[in-house]
Amino acid sequence: MDRYYKKNRCTVYTEKKREIILKNAESCEQFQKMTAAVQAKADKYLGYLDKFYDMIIAEGLPRWYFIGAQRDLERFKCRYCGVDISAEYGLYGWKTDPLNHEWKVQCPGCLRWFPSNDFGGYYRLGLDEHGIFNPELARAKNDALVADGKDGYLKNLLYPEKGDGWGVDDGFGYRTGIIYPNGAVEMHTYIAYYIHEGLWNCADSVNNALYTFRDAYLCTGEIKYGRAGAILLDRIADFYPGYEYFMWHDFRDDLYRGKIKDCIWECFISAEFCLSYDALFPAYEDTEVIEYLRGKSERFKLDNPKNSAAAIRKNIENGILKTVFESAVDKKICGNFGMTQHAVTAAAVVLDTMPETGEWLDWVMAAGEANPSGTCENPPKLRGGNVLAQLTEIVDRDGMGNESSPGYNNLWNTELIGMAELLYNYDKYPSADLYKNPKFMRMFYPQVPLILADYYTAQIADSGGTANAGFCFTARQAVTAFRKTGNPIFAQALYLINGRSVEGLTEGINAEDPKKIQTDVLNVIKEHGELNTGSEMLTGYGFAVLRDGTQGDFWMYFGTADMHGHSDSLNLGIDAYGLNMAPDLGYPEETACQPNRVQWVSATISHNTVTVDEQVQVKYRAGKRGYPLHFDDSGRVKLMDIKQIDTYVQTDEYRRTVVMIKVDDMVSYGIDFFRVTGGNDHIFSFHSQSDQIYETENLSLVPQETGTYADAGVPWGQDPDTDDTKWNPNDLRYPAGYTWLDQVRRADSPGSGFSVDFAVTDFKQVLKDGGNLHLRMTQLNDFELSEVSVVRGRPPAKPSNPKALEYVLARRTGENLDSLFTTVFEPYKDSRYIAKIENVPVKLIKSGNQQHSAVKAVKVTHQNGRADYIVYASDNTAAYRVDDLFDFRGFVGVYIDSSTPYRYVNDGDILFDKINKPGAYTGKVISFTREMSFENAIQISAEQSVDISELPGKYIYVENDGVQNGVYRIEKAKTLEDGSIMLDTGKVSLINGFIDRNDYSKGYTYNISPEQKYRIPLPRE
């Protein structure tokens, strides 16, 4: 129903906020510079106001962000010069300049402009009396021109050497008539790209001009800027209800709904339109605005006369605010969690009219789909924004979503912050303060432990470029987290993110004392020092890291592979000397069902893990994570031990244990025990940040002159049986990834052990001195390998990515295999500190409880004579004699024979002598925190006498139902009067979800239950 909602005040940019912004823009040097820059840009744009107005076009022409349809095999290339634009200049590398080159896109390689015809003239032919392009009218008038002996506007004017019709685009693409082998039709979509990127996404686009006028108005108070912004927003409102992105799905070859853009990207632009209305609200009283728009209404014969502020506001409130809500319900504005909710909240709070505002915000909070998809023609209505249910059921105990990638999960938090800020102190809906929700507040935390080597966020799943620097956690988030929680860790993170400085830090131009944050952060650094989170395990998300200071670590990912995830459970990462030594490939070339992504970048073999039976790991696992068994940081020795039970249906054990041992103050090395039982083909894959093998040992590599890892006759690239509409990489002719690995060098029957020394390259020039770094892997197994191959794998073709990385593939074949791959990872600079790595004998002296156990002992001799013995035993109840030197019973033992001998045993009680302390505390759960709370605890009974001083920092492993792991970090512990023990788990909730997500009053479900058994493994030194 067409109605006017009667907004009568600014609710986001209130009078007080406007006063603060003006004051800061005048008095704060940083904001003075910002204001001067935005004002200069706005002044430039004022000269183009009429042009910007005309650039806002109605629905009727396709919009697309590639020059070619989704499955067009040549869509990344310039069709004239042949340059691969995506690889050389970025995925959206074509240039647009709508102010100076209307209706043209430019190849950044050859600098030619396209299309070859004068589409601007053609467009003007087709404008009807309402100022709307009519393609039939344009075609008829153009045909009349041609019939009259004139050229018309559908003729190749720029590149006659290509023929009269080459490169001519009538708005619906230049079609060559070529059909690719995959069935895609070749089509050059120049005008669609121009509309999407030039009119709505480039630096001088319509919406960026709107935001510039808005910001200049807020920072200066000058009506000339508010006037221009108000005019543009009104014109957008004229057409916004009619935009239907889905109508061009045959043209684009995808099924996304949306408005101006697809349903995901539309969330951002629609939220900004709403906020712009609140910022520009006073300007609609301006007589020049009214006169300008009244004249446009008369010229284009609009239904709304626009002869008053009320009439114009009616147009915007119906055309934008109401449309945003209705489009969210219809899944036309439908993004990752937080994005849709932010957009609708912006519309509701800006509307500021009851009952509609309350109804829209109720919808945001109401239960709906956890991961709605706006990718079909007529999807069911979205019942609600699902905020409370999603926070409770999908956001894990660590505060991460189910998108695997730190970046995408962090997007949930950033968008919800935008929503939370809009609702904070909003007087018409006070019940929805997200800062009072423990799960939302927990979302600030997990990005901090993911910071590695002090310069990047752990690369997991679709996340950044290969070996990228930079953080997902933003300064804005860190400021908000610090202010809302008071936790000094966020001030430390902010200091690091800002380049170990407070220079330039502010709380935003609308803060009353924007620079106070600088003093507060410096006080934290003075009292607590810089960020040093230490070793940590996020058992809900699925991430464990063993840190040796801030420059070196070993880490493992064992989380979900849903959404933007890869098939990479138990993937291993390594940092040393302040550099990422084992980078993930990161973000794919594009996120659609693209062969390079599905077959290679997301496949198991491209990661540092084990591929079984030439298949990728089961990827879509309904959010299941791995199951930690041990984790410890006792100082000189650290370890993590994690199993995954559903990556391969044919495996009984898929388990990785990493022991990190300190060498000196500069570096540690690691020993990796990766056990896989079941299946007939195991491939241990590893790569470093390296495109050069420095040397190998015990390998006679024979080059394969042609082809790929698939076969000498199979060329590099997509699999011959590629169907680029299917996501399953196990349905190919060759195993996933094989056709993407070339320059193959094989060693057949290489024996049980070998070494490969990677010459590490600091591709992103992170270090001041990144020269002569190495990562040496030495594998020493108790079985014969079938082959070892060194191959070249190529990261996604992007401008900043290295062109290639070297991969080592250690392969074992047989029947119903039981493989314990044992690998020493030795990062070093200039020269090695290890002289010798060898197996040592292990003899069973007393049987344990397991029937099919694995045991391994390794001796590492250093150049200085120090000898390290490392023992791994999957059955910690069995006793062994190691190298005829010492007895051992436990899970992992380390004996360092040096001038100061050192002994360590985890989850055991014998190393040389019997240890008169338990290797683990065991017992049962009594109770736990059952409400959503900022403070949580587990009450336990113990079967042994417990020294509670040993418990803080350890983990309790509850034998729960197995749907998720039952592992929780113990923050504090105390003994109660009845002898039971209360374990404080801090901010980490025990709640899994709602009993009935449509009736929250029925209560919660939980991850653990009373009477379930637990273990708390302990280290002994």
Side-chain angles (χ1 to χ4, degrees), residues 245-464:
Y245 189 77
F246 182 83
M247 70 184 293
W248 308 111
H249 69 92
D250 289 335
F251 172 88
R252 292 188 319 268
D253 197 23
D254 73 26
L255 294 176
Y256 275 106
R257 291 168 70 77
K259 297 294 288 175
I260 295 172
K261 301 181 180 182
D262 73 42
C263 59
I264 298 174
W265 289 8
E266 193 67 29
C267 295
F268 299 118
I269 196 170
S270 62
E272 289 297 328
F273 289 163
C274 297
L275 297 176
S276 295
Y277 178 50
D278 194 76
L280 298 166
F281 185 76
Y284 289 102
E285 301 286 348
D286 181 74
T287 55
E288 290 189 34
V289 169
I290 296 170
E291 282 304 304
Y292 185 100
L293 294 178
R294 184 189 60 77
K296 293 293 187 182
S297 178
E298 290 179 356
R299 175 185 171 188
F300 295 124
K301 300 181 180 179
L302 304 179
D303 292 336
N304 188 320
K306 302 190 181 181
N307 54 7
S308 67
I312 300 168
R313 287 168 175 164
K314 172 184 177 180
N315 186 50
I316 296 171
E317 289 172 28
N318 280 294
I320 293 179
L321 303 184
K322 180 170 178 264
T323 299
V324 167
F325 174 69
E326 291 175 345
S327 298
V329 173
D330 290 339
K331 298 183 181 177
K332 297 174 185 175
I333 296 176
C334 183
N336 306 58
F337 180 56
M339 293 167 57
T340 310
Q341 294 79 359
H342 184 189
V344 175
T345 300
V349 172
V350 170
L351 179 67
D352 193 41
T353 301
M354 290 297 184
E356 288 84 358
T357 288
E359 291 169 353
W360 297 1
L361 292 175
D362 286 344
W363 179 90
V364 169
M365 298 297 173
E369 298 172 42
N371 296 302
S373 175
T375 55
C376 57
E377 186 168 7
N378 291 305
K381 303 286 187 183
L382 188 57
R383 296 183 297 116
N386 207 49
V387 167
L388 295 180
Q390 192 101 338
L391 287 173
T392 304
E393 298 179 336
I394 305 299
V395 173
D396 64 44
R397 70 191 78 147
D398 296 313
M400 293 289 258
N402 64 351
E403 298 211 48
S404 303
S405 160
Y408 276 98
N409 282 323
N410 198 50
L411 180 63
W412 291 25
N413 186 227
T414 56
E415 290 299 299
L416 287 177
I417 289 173
M419 176 183 166
E421 287 295 299
L422 289 167
L423 293 173
Y424 186 64
N425 288 334
Y426 178 56
D427 54 1
K428 290 185 178 177
Y429 203 86
S431 62
D433 185 351
L434 283 185
Y435 292 119
K436 295 179 181 178
N437 185 294
K439 288 295 287 288
F440 168 66
M441 294 302 291
R442 183 67 181 162
M443 294 179 77
F444 288 107
Y445 174 75
Q447 292 291 334
V448 178
L450 290 171
I451 292 174
L452 299 174
D454 280 354
Y455 80 90
Y456 78 101
T457 295
Q459 285 191 278
I460 298 168
D462 291 351
S463 184

